[in-house]
Amino acid sequence: DTLLRVEHLRKVYESSTGSVEAIGDIDFEMRRGELICIVGPSGCGKTTLLKCISGLLKPTSGSVTLDGKAVTGPPPNMALVFQEYGRSLYPWLTVRGNVELPLRHKKLPKAEMRRIVDDALVAVGLDHADTKYPWQLSGGMQQRVAIARAVAYQPEVLIMDEPFAAVDAQTRADLEDLVRKLHLERGMSILFVTHDIDESVYLGERVVVLSKSPTWVQEDLVIDLSSE
Ligand code: ADP
Ligand code: ADP
């Protein structure tokens, strides 16, 4: 059951100083319920790939299909979590307000909205912090709010772009366990992008490795979790 299909994706940036092949030929498929990591050093094209997948950037050639539909603009059934957690939360809204925000346009009955938000807050361990404001929380806790917002939105696919690059090691380990739990217990389909090989191998069932030397390359690894 293929959820996301990236076929022969290539992006060349053209400018007055010449052209840069940011991604050469990316090809992978993600099944529903899978957790895939995309790993590679700075400059290998991770941001470019994510922009193409989330419909923010038009590829030079190739295609992205989500749930059988070509992605040509931001898909409604996708949620994103970025590294800059502070900037993705609204400081004038409480934790609950931030998590509710993307659900508002769904016009759910009040009780249903409350149930979904409570469930997402419990999932990330923030059920006792719902009346706090983002600035009253640590960076790791703020990132939990961003994750709760994505969980409540119930996207077909959750995309995480170096989400834990800015938190300390212990917090990061806790957040990695949270991502793994969301995947295993809720069956969430997650595409996790990182420059950290250890993190990608720890988290991913499959790892797509991007590299840049001497030319642009993609390699696929399958991690056998049963041998651990
Ligand atoms: P990352 O954190 O993924 O390494 P960068 O710091 O490389 O991101 O890039 C930040 C932003 O600047 C991205 O949106 C990227 O598309 C853009 N960018 C990167 N390199 C260039 C460039 N040579 N010219 C114009 N924009 C660039
Ligand atoms: P990563 O996220 O892995 O750091 P990027 O996708 O940001 O990689 O960048 C891949 C390559 O494309 C880099 O060489 C970067 O400088 C270049 N690049 C990114 N965005 C732009 C842009 N808007 N214009 C020109 N070059 C860019």
Side-chain angles (χ1 to χ4, degrees):
D1 185 7
T2 300
L3 176 62
L4 178 71
R5 176 174 285 144
V6 173
E7 280 177 301
H8 299 299
L9 200 71
R10 180 163 183 266
K11 178 68 190 181
V12 178
Y13 292 106
E14 306 284 359
S15 73
S16 51
T17 52
S19 59
V20 179
E21 183 182 56
I23 47 180
D25 185 14
I26 297 194
D27 242 318
F28 71 92
E29 280 188 16
M30 180 175 182
R31 292 192 304 277
R32 207 173 292 279
E34 232 180 345
L35 198 175
I36 295 189
C37 288
I38 297 192
V39 67
S42 188
C44 72
K46 302 184 295 298
T47 304
T48 301
L49 170 63
L50 286 190
K51 283 182 181 169
C52 292
I53 290 177
S54 53
L56 301 172
L57 191 65
K58 197 175 176 302
T60 304
S61 57
S63 64
V64 177
T65 322
L66 179 60
D67 234 354
K69 291 192 200 69
V71 171
T72 53
N77 47 353
M78 183 181 283
L80 292 111
V81 172
F82 301 102
Q83 179 180 328
E84 300 89 356
Y85 42 82
R87 277 196 271 162
S88 75
L89 301 177
Y90 292 96
W92 58 85
L93 294 177
T94 61
V95 166
R96 178 175 294 276
N98 270 283
V99 175
E100 273 177 0
L101 198 63
L103 294 175
R104 288 202 189 151
H105 78 272
K106 292 193 180 180
K107 306 243 184 298
L108 301 167
K110 238 182 171 161
E112 172 77 351
M113 170 96 109
R114 195 163 183 92
R115 191 191 61 72
I116 291 172
V117 172
D118 283 344
D119 170 66
L121 290 173
V122 169
V124 304
L126 278 180
D127 41 321
H128 299 296
D130 63 326
T131 58
K132 289 216 157 49
Y133 287 87
W135 44 269
Q136 295 176 299
L137 303 174
S138 67
M141 289 296 167
Q142 290 182 32
Q143 200 58 313
R144 283 178 191 261
V145 180
I147 295 170
R149 183 164 62 188
V151 169
Y153 188 67
Q154 296 169 313
E156 296 265 32
V157 58
L158 171 60
I159 295 192
M160 309 187 83
D161 185 6
E162 307 228 12
F164 311 141
V167 298
D168 64 81
Q170 182 56 53
T171 304
R172 180 175 180 164
D174 293 343
L175 288 168
E176 285 166 0
D177 287 339
L178 171 61
V179 169
R180 185 174 268 232
K181 189 182 87 167
L182 293 174
H183 164 63
L184 291 175
E185 294 178 5
R186 295 177 174 243
M188 288 183 77
S189 312
I190 303 176
L191 190 64
F192 190 101
V193 175
T194 176
H195 61 259
D196 185 330
I197 291 273
D198 292 338
E199 184 172 49
S200 71
V201 173
Y202 174 69
L203 270 182
E205 289 163 319
R206 272 200 306 136
V207 179
V208 175
V209 185
L210 308 182
S211 60
K212 243 205 142 163
S213 53
T215 53
W216 194 90
V217 200
Q218 171 190 345
E219 283 176 77
D220 292 3
L221 299 176
V222 177
I223 311 293
D224 184 1
L225 294 171
S226 61
S227 64
E228 277 177 17

